[in-house]
Amino acid sequence: MSSNEPAPSPDELAARLRAAVGALVRSTRGADRLAPSPAAVLDLLDVRGPMTAADLAAIRGVRHQTMAATVKDLTGAGHVAAGPDPDDARKRILTLTASGKSAIDADRHRRVGVLAKALDRVLDGDDRRVLAHALTLVDRISASVADTHDSPAAGGGPVTGAW
């Protein structure tokens, strides 16, 4: 695009960005070993630390029963451990185990590998510099969305997967 052309509207750019990010996420899911919902829970516990199933459900925007089933599966797989809440004996605090950390890190590593190979295949050095600058802009946009909306992401970190 030349500097003489009018800049695309924010609505047009937002639609293209949403579509591009969605396509990028879907294209790398094939490398994942974990399903999206369990991966999101492990990611939240890794990034934000121990919390209750109710906290996880609220952040993910799902019913408590749905989260309880996911947590049960993750606990059964040894990826999550439940312990007493020091402030409320009726609650259980969920923590990421070494196995859970290893599982989420492995998925992250595989996804990064898939992306790195694609970047190497299709982008030259100039393109990679442009992309690096664009990612700085995407980070600024993400921070602005998190700061100005009452969204699950406002607490920091991804909510739909281990990105």
Side-chain angles (χ1 to χ4, degrees), residues 70-163:
T70 300
V71 167
K72 181 180 178 187
D73 291 344
L74 289 169
T75 302
H79 295 326
V80 172
D85 183 331
D87 299 325
D88 186 343
R90 298 168 297 171
K91 295 181 181 180
R92 307 285 287 165
I93 297 291
L94 304 171
T95 57
L96 190 65
T97 64
S99 171
K101 176 73 171 150
S102 177
I104 198 66
D105 283 349
D107 268 10
R108 289 170 178 154
H109 181 75
R110 280 189 292 275
R111 248 181 268 119
V112 166
V114 166
L115 288 171
K117 286 178 185 173
L119 293 172
D120 188 48
R121 233 182 358 261
V122 301
L123 300 181
D124 63 18
D126 288 338
D127 290 337
R128 289 193 307 272
R129 281 186 280 284
V130 168
L131 180 58
H133 176 69
L135 292 174
T136 300
L137 301 177
V138 170
D139 287 342
R140 284 175 36 201
I141 294 164
S142 295
S144 176
V145 169
D147 288 345
T148 60
H149 287 80
D150 187 21
S151 69
V159 292
T160 58
W163 283 91

